[in-house]
Amino acid sequence: MLENIEFLNKEFFWVLLLLPIAIVWYVLKHSKQTAELKMSSIKGFKGASTFWSKFKHLLFALRLIALALLITALARPRTVDVSTKTKTTSGIDIVMAIDVSASMLAKDLRPNRLDALKEVAADFIDGRPNDRIGLVEYAGEAYTKTPITSDKSIVKRSLRDINYNSIIEGGTAIGMGLATSVNRLKDSRAKSKVIILLTDGVNNSGFIDPKIASELAVEYGIKVYTIGLGTNGMALSPIGFNSNGTFRYGRMQVEIDEALLKEIAEETGGEYFRATNNDKLAQIYDEINKLEKTEIEETKYYNYDEKYRPLVLLAGLLLLIELILRHTKFRSFV
């Protein structure tokens, strides 16, 4: 509790330095007032000393404590209870468009591209508590996994459920993924609308041209950040199926249409990034997180509880006790 106490007028604590001086003055004063008398016998004085005479200095101690309490009261001790109310003044609606083609199972990122992305994307979602987020997944076709929502638990659960799905038409339809994402955001009333489009290949499927989709994004005021995922050179990638239905892996050249991704980002006011490993992917999402700041209005309320009154009352009580003792029990000794 003491750590919550603050003092408004701390300068009054300098007055406490006078108390040691008062103690020294008191000791010197009473030592000078003490006279010595040599007697051959003190039998005649037995019983003259009383119990109270031994505690005559208690009066000075009571007064000193009372003064210390009054000085502390003048320093205005008080506790502060701070409550904060936050309000989002300008939220951002974000759609994360994720490539789920078979090539996303390549092992140039740990444990593979898709799982590495899901881990980083989950951290990104946690870092956007005041924004609405939706998910779109695409391969040869695209569909909405989760509409934009402020419920992050739903988004993260849907993100965990994203896996390679052989039911979805194969290929990489970047235009379809982008157009579906635009469709999720076009009616949004958010001040800022953002698409984070990630792919590890080239546009080789779908019936919507990526350039047409980027023009739609511009028309609806949507900014697109594009990410090319994959190492430079060769990567251990799925090249077919084994007899038991599992993927067979082989070394394949990584091909990403960086020119297209750069064009989409530039036309919509976003940026293009290349993630060649896990750390670089995490850095990219961290950078996007910093680029897209949500405006938050924070109001703080301060509730002060003054604590000087008990100190004044206690000091007054001590002075009253000192006054009563001085004129009763200690009257013969002071």
Side-chain angles (χ1 to χ4, degrees), residues 21-31 56-58 60:
I21 298 175
I23 294 172
V24 173
W25 170 82
Y26 180 81
V27 172
L28 293 176
K29 175 185 174 183
H30 281 268
S31 63
K56 64 179 181 179
H57 301 300
L58 177 64
F60 177 71

Side-chain angles (χ1 to χ4, degrees), residues 64-231:
L64 211 61
I65 294 171
L67 287 174
L69 290 172
L70 288 173
I71 292 170
T72 305
L74 288 171
R76 289 282 298 279
R78 62 184 185 179
T79 56
V80 185
D81 180 27
V82 182
S83 58
T84 303
K85 182 179 180 181
T86 59
K87 181 177 72 173
T88 303
T89 59
S90 178
I92 299 175
D93 282 353
I94 302 171
V95 169
M96 302 171 70
I98 300 172
D99 187 345
V100 293
S101 58
S103 59
M104 284 292 288
L105 300 178
K107 298 181 180 296
D108 48 351
L109 274 73
R110 303 180 307 274
N112 58 54
R113 294 173 184 173
L114 186 56
D115 286 338
L117 165 67
K118 287 161 64 174
E119 182 179 345
V120 172
D123 292 337
F124 177 82
I125 293 168
D126 287 334
R128 312 295 302 192
N130 301 294
D131 300 322
R132 298 196 306 166
I133 297 178
L135 297 176
V136 166
E137 59 179 63
Y138 69 96
E141 54 186 332
Y143 73 94
T144 300
K145 181 73 172 178
T146 305
I148 51 174
T149 176
S150 57
D151 191 333
K152 302 304 185 296
S153 62
I154 292 177
V155 181
K156 290 179 69 176
R157 186 163 58 248
S158 296
L159 179 67
R160 287 194 299 269
D161 292 340
I162 292 179
N163 289 296
Y164 167 73
N165 189 343
S166 59
I167 297 176
I168 300 177
E169 183 181 338
T172 303
I174 295 175
M176 295 285 288
L178 181 55
T180 303
S181 301
V182 170
N183 190 49
R184 302 313 313 178
L185 287 171
K186 64 184 179 66
D187 296 323
S188 168
R189 296 183 179 180
K191 185 177 180 180
S192 183
K193 294 175 283 188
V194 171
I195 294 172
I196 303 174
L197 185 142
L198 180 140
T199 185
D200 66 345
V202 297
N203 185 69
N204 56 20
S205 185
F207 57 85
I208 298 179
D209 189 283
K211 295 182 181 179
I212 299 296
S214 63
E215 289 174 3
L216 288 173
V218 173
E219 182 178 346
Y220 289 108
I222 300 170
K223 189 186 300 183
V224 182
Y225 291 99
T226 55
I227 302 174
L229 182 62
T231 189

